[in-house]
């Protein structure tokens, strides 16, 4: 959020820190155009359904924090 303000787009970005998708601000404000998920593969797999449900039809999910050998399993979880 700090860098967004520094670059003049702070009013266009809202950062919500939550343990999963149960936070009221998250459930009441979605679906989202962009979800950034930087976490271990096991957590991504556990949250894949909630992430997909919370992403707008033409939205994007940016995933990081995985190894190349995990790519097939993660891709499958997010495309099926």
């Amino acid at each position: 959020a700090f860098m967004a303000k520094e670059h003049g787009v702070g009013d266009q970005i809202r950062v919500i820190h939550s343990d999963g998708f149960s936070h009221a601000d998250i459930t009441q404000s979605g679906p989202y155009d962009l979800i950034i998920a930087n976490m271990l593969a096991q957590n991504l797999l556990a949250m894949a359904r909630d992430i997909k449900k919370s992403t707008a039809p033409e939205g994007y999910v940016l995933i990081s924090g995985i190894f190349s050998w995990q790519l097939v399993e993660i891709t499958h979880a997010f495309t099926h």
Side-chain angles (χ1 to χ4, degrees), residues 3-75:
M3 291 305 292
K5 289 178 186 175
E6 286 290 308
H7 291 280
V9 295
D11 60 336
Q12 299 173 34
I13 295 174
R14 183 171 176 209
V15 177
I16 302 170
H17 295 273
S18 175
D19 184 15
F21 284 76
S22 61
H23 192 284
D25 287 345
I26 294 173
T27 58
Q28 295 172 4
S29 299
Y32 297 94
D33 296 327
L34 174 64
I35 294 178
I36 300 171
N38 179 21
M39 59 186 80
L40 299 173
Q42 67 186 37
N43 297 329
L44 282 168
L45 293 171
M47 295 178 65
R49 183 171 45 186
D50 286 336
I51 292 172
K52 290 189 303 184
K53 185 173 73 174
S54 298
T55 305
E58 298 297 319
Y60 296 91
V61 177
L62 186 126
I63 296 172
S64 62
I66 62 171
F67 295 104
S68 59
W69 54 268
Q70 298 169 318
L71 184 59
V72 172
E73 185 177 17
I74 298 295
T75 301

